Amino acid sequence: AQSVTQLDSQVPVFEEAPVELRCNYSSSVSVYLFWYVQYPNQGLQLLLKYLSGSTLVESINGFEAEFNKSQTSFHLRKPSVHISDTAEYFCAVSESGAGNMLTFGGGTRLMVKP
Amino acid sequence: DTGVSQDPRHKITKRGQNVTFRCDPISEHNRLYWYRQTLGQGPEFLTYFQNEAQLEKSRLLSDRFSAERPKGSFSTLEIQRTEQGDSAMYLCAREDRDNTGELFFGEGSRLTVL
């Protein structure tokens, strides 16, 4: 069975500061990895994904995540956050080639302060 | 627009009543998922369909819960004899065409059981 651990439930940070949201997973098989974002009063949206190939993946709004197989991690980073990045971020994993049921972490609330 | 509509968006009911939620994905997507999200937690998998066949159910789906997808398009999730612990956001999702595990979520149906 797969599981996802997001080590920080809340991350407060000042605008324009860098941020890292941590995600570790466990699985006995190959996985696909995802970060979803949930803005206040909105539904879940995909932020970025790792399926195969380059271990560094990027989103259109400046976030990036790196798949580290040896450490079973998929941490999310942004070098300079904006107020508009305030949201709940969820890391998720699915087993590649299987029924593609996502297992989510508990979420990290990113709070960007002016 | 994620191509997934859910109805109703909010439902308040008294304990013991039955409720039904509906999910309408855009056509031509053969996998449909139901998740539940409680406050402060990540979404938890409930069940999924491939066309009209229900292929997997979580142990979270007690015998009071039933899901259907009669024609392989829209789906319904019914909860009988609701309990206060059923209060949650019920999310429906469709899978992308390439079956990579990326899910597109609807905005959810929020259930409050009094």
Side-chain angles (χ1 to χ4, degrees), chain A residues 35-47:
Chain A
W35 276 98
Y36 281 81
V37 59
Q38 191 169 33
Y39 297 104
N41 300 314
Q42 294 188 29
L44 281 164
Q45 305 172 33
L46 181 70
L47 185 63

Side-chain angles (χ1 to χ4, degrees), chain A:
Chain A
Q2 16 183 40
S3 66
V4 178
T5 302
Q6 292 182 245
L7 296 168
D8 305 299
S9 59
Q10 294 186 57
V11 174
V13 64
F14 287 106
E15 195 172 20
E16 299 184 4
V19 71
E20 178 181 81
L21 306 184
R22 296 179 292 171
C23 172
N24 288 88
Y25 71 92
S26 67
S27 176
S28 57
V29 299
S30 297
V31 296
Y32 296 146
L33 294 157
F34 306 84
W35 276 98
Y36 281 81
V37 59
Q38 191 169 33
Y39 297 104
N41 300 314
Q42 294 188 29
L44 281 164
Q45 305 172 33
L46 181 70
L47 185 63
L48 47 74
K49 61 184 178 183
Y50 169 79
L51 304 180
S52 64
S54 172
T55 57
L56 185 66
V57 291
E58 298 177 349
S59 72
I60 59 173
N61 59 349
F63 283 93
E64 64 179 31
E66 186 161 20
F67 170 51
N68 187 318
K69 188 174 181 179
S70 62
Q71 297 186 6
T72 60
S73 67
F74 191 55
H75 301 331
L76 181 70
R77 302 183 182 95
K78 189 170 185 179
S80 176
V81 295
H82 301 287
I83 294 286
S84 59
D85 293 325
T86 294
E88 188 93 19
Y89 291 80
F90 295 95
C91 182
V93 61
S94 70
E95 293 182 356
S96 56
N100 296 325
M101 298 163 290
L102 288 178
T103 299
F104 285 86
T108 298
R109 182 170 297 279
L110 177 63
M111 300 175 292
V112 182
K113 300 181 284 187

Side-chain angles (χ1 to χ4, degrees), chain A residues 32 34 36 38 41-46 49 51 88 90 94 97-107, chain B residues 2 9 31 33 35 37 40-45 48 56 91 95-96 99-107:
Chain A
Y32 296 146
F34 306 84
Y36 281 81
Q38 191 169 33
N41 300 314
Q42 294 188 29
L44 281 164
Q45 305 172 33
L46 181 70
K49 61 184 178 183
L51 304 180
E88 188 93 19
F90 295 95
S94 70
N100 296 325
M101 298 163 290
L102 288 178
T103 299
F104 285 86
Chain B
T2 60
R9 295 290 308 280
R31 287 184 183 168
Y33 297 75
Y35 282 77
Q37 185 178 19
Q41 301 296 320
E44 298 171 292
F45 170 77
Y48 93 94
E56 189 133 359
L91 301 170
E95 196 170 83
D96 71 274
N99 294 338
T100 58
E102 177 181 347
L103 298 183
F104 296 89
F105 286 86
E107 294 193 2

Side-chain angles (χ1 to χ4, degrees), chain B residues 5-103:
Chain B
S5 298
Q6 293 190 245
D7 182 72
R9 295 290 308 280
H10 299 94
K11 177 72 176 179
I12 300 173
T13 190
K14 293 182 178 179
R15 189 175 53 186
Q17 298 296 303
N18 300 342
V19 297
T20 299
F21 301 115
R22 179 178 169 123
C23 172
D24 283 274
I26 60 174
S27 60
E28 302 178 14
H29 289 85
N30 63 354
R31 287 184 183 168
L32 183 150
Y33 297 75
W34 284 99
Y35 282 77
R36 181 178 72 182
Q37 185 178 19
T38 53
L39 201 61
Q41 301 296 320
E44 298 171 292
F45 170 77
L46 292 179
T47 188
Y48 93 94
F49 292 83
Q50 181 152 337
N51 299 317
E52 64 275 11
Q54 188 174 18
L55 295 188
E56 189 133 359
K57 294 192 292 186
S58 163
R59 59 182 170 79
L60 295 174
L61 217 64
S62 74
D63 57 5
R64 297 186 296 105
F65 288 70
S66 61
E68 295 182 340
R69 197 182 183 197
K71 298 181 180 178
S73 57
F74 74 92
S75 177
T76 59
L77 176 68
E78 182 184 14
I79 309 173
Q80 296 181 326
R81 304 181 305 280
T82 52
E83 302 173 354
Q84 288 184 326
D86 297 331
S87 295
M89 180 75 85
Y90 290 86
L91 301 170
C92 178
R94 64 174 178 88
E95 196 170 83
D96 71 274
R97 290 180 179 274
D98 297 325
N99 294 338
T100 58
E102 177 181 347
L103 298 183

